[in-house]
Amino acid sequence: MRLKGKVALVTGGRKGIGRSVALTLAREGADLVIVSRTITADDSVVLDTEKLGRCVMPRQVDVGERSQVFKLVEDVLGHFGRIDILFNNAGIYNPAMLWKMSEEKWSEVIRVNLTGVFNCLQAVASPMMQQKSGSIINVTSSEALLGSMGQINYAAAKGGVYALTKSAARELAPYGIRVNNIAPMADTDMTKVIAHDPKFKYKYLERMPMGCFAQPEEIGPSVVFLASEESGYITGQTLCIDGGMVML
Ligand SMILES: NC(=O)c1ccc[n+]([C@@H]2O[C@H](COP(=O)([O-])OP(=O)(O)OC[C@H]3O[C@@H](n4cnc5c(N)ncnc54)[C@H](OP(=O)(O)O)[C@@H]3O)[C@@H](O)[C@H]2O)c1
């Protein structure tokens, strides 16, 4: 087990990529704090983590609400005494073409996908700086790197994540804290239209040399790598887990 004794905070862990990554981290020995707006102690990710013999703290938090995030981190430190890993994954989408994009849609996606990532990053930075160790894995997107049709709000937020990861990596490296991105492509609720509606599916598959969307379970091992000492000399990088769609 590569993460035995570590404490991992997973945002957006109730379903999709976050759920799957949370369970992969738990299988590698990590105790978990799993956050989403609606998670409860009865959710399958919580029960499955307990079945693996790990401690798990489920918490309803909106990552865009700064006070909720800082209270969460205070409670985690009170309970576990440390935070070793942040999987900064919670995200939403709300598409519209540029000329139809309302200010509400723009602001909400920026609030959750960019400010939410910043809130969690900043809240865990202080305890990790005191520990002089930590691994933070943010979630950006191919849309930040290639642009997108109909998701200018999402692409801008994920572009912000791509950039803030590099700044945080530079600022936190002297404290033994690494900060990296993943850019995944997986079949989840978020991608169900582009992965299954024939109107979009084939356009996407044409851009993916490996010719398929990943299952969420295929993302976890890369996150474990970035969370563990196996990647101890890697920081400020973006790992694309997308079947070759983006080649940096
Ligand atoms: N799937 C892909 O191919 C793909 C590609 C590129 C990037 N991504 C990114 O990967 C991450 C996970 O995506 P996914 O496909 O797994 O999406 P998903 O299946 O829709 O899951 C999103 C998760 O985020 C939580 N969440 C949403 N808003 C939140 C908020 N304000 N505060 C806390 N939790 C919140 C949701 O739970 P609640 O509803 O309970 O809050 C849910 O657990 C996102 O950042 C997404 O942008 C995904």
Side-chain angles (χ1 to χ4, degrees):
M1 282 197 267
R2 286 174 287 174
L3 302 174
K4 198 164 169 38
K6 304 282 186 193
V7 176
L9 168 55
V10 176
T11 71
R14 185 177 65 80
K15 62 177 183 155
I17 292 170
R19 178 187 190 283
S20 181
V21 166
L23 291 172
T24 311
L25 294 170
R27 269 183 223 108
E28 289 292 339
D31 292 323
L32 299 181
V33 182
I34 307 178
V35 163
S36 91
R37 293 164 302 182
T38 63
I39 194 164
T40 68
D42 294 334
D43 268 303
S44 66
V45 65
V46 178
L47 301 175
D48 289 350
T49 305
E50 285 167 347
K51 275 186 213 150
L52 290 165
R54 302 282 98 77
C55 295
V56 53
M57 179 193 278
R59 282 292 292 268
Q60 289 186 1
V61 169
D62 178 341
V63 294
E65 292 298 319
R66 196 171 165 75
S67 57
Q68 291 183 25
V69 171
F70 277 77
K71 174 74 171 69
L72 165 77
V73 169
E74 196 184 307
D75 292 349
V76 173
L77 293 173
H79 186 77
F80 289 109
R82 56 187 299 116
I83 301 179
D84 300 290
I85 298 157
L86 167 64
F87 184 51
N88 212 351
N89 161 78
I92 56 170
Y93 72 109
N94 203 338
M97 295 301 274
L98 166 62
W99 49 92
K100 288 185 184 162
M101 178 66 66
S102 65
E103 193 183 346
E104 288 71 30
K105 281 189 176 195
W106 168 268
S107 300
E108 182 59 4
V109 170
I110 297 290
R111 186 186 77 85
V112 175
N113 291 11
L114 181 56
T115 307
V117 167
F118 169 70
N119 288 340
C120 296
L121 170 68
Q122 197 182 40
V124 303
S126 296
M128 286 184 175
M129 286 164 79
Q130 282 167 28
Q131 287 166 204
K132 296 216 172 303
S133 68
S135 177
I136 296 167
I137 299 111
N138 296 326
V139 183
T140 184
S141 166
S142 59
E143 307 218 353
L145 303 162
L146 302 175
S148 68
M149 290 285 285
Q151 294 220 68
I152 199 164
N153 50 357
Y154 183 89
K158 293 296 183 181
V161 172
Y162 179 74
L164 75 74
T165 293
K166 295 186 187 191
S167 294
R170 288 186 191 279
E171 291 190 20
L172 295 176
Y175 299 92
I177 302 163
R178 299 179 298 105
V179 191
N180 291 289
N181 281 315
I182 62 162
M185 184 53 87
D187 187 354
T188 66
D189 285 353
M190 186 177 280
T191 51
K192 67 174 177 252
V193 174
I194 61 169
H196 297 285
D197 182 339
K199 208 170 123 197
F200 300 99
K201 177 179 170 181
Y202 297 105
K203 278 190 197 151
Y204 270 85
L205 291 182
E206 267 171 27
R207 294 161 63 193
M208 297 159 78
M210 294 186 74
C212 60
F213 284 77
Q215 292 306 307
E217 293 69 31
E218 294 175 77
I219 308 301
S222 299
V223 177
V224 169
F225 169 69
L226 290 173
S228 74
E229 277 313 304
E230 287 175 10
S231 60
Y233 199 49
I234 298 176
T235 197
Q237 305 302 313
T238 294
L239 179 55
C240 299
I241 315 166
D242 63 358
M245 189 157 84
V246 178
M247 296 188 185
L248 291 173

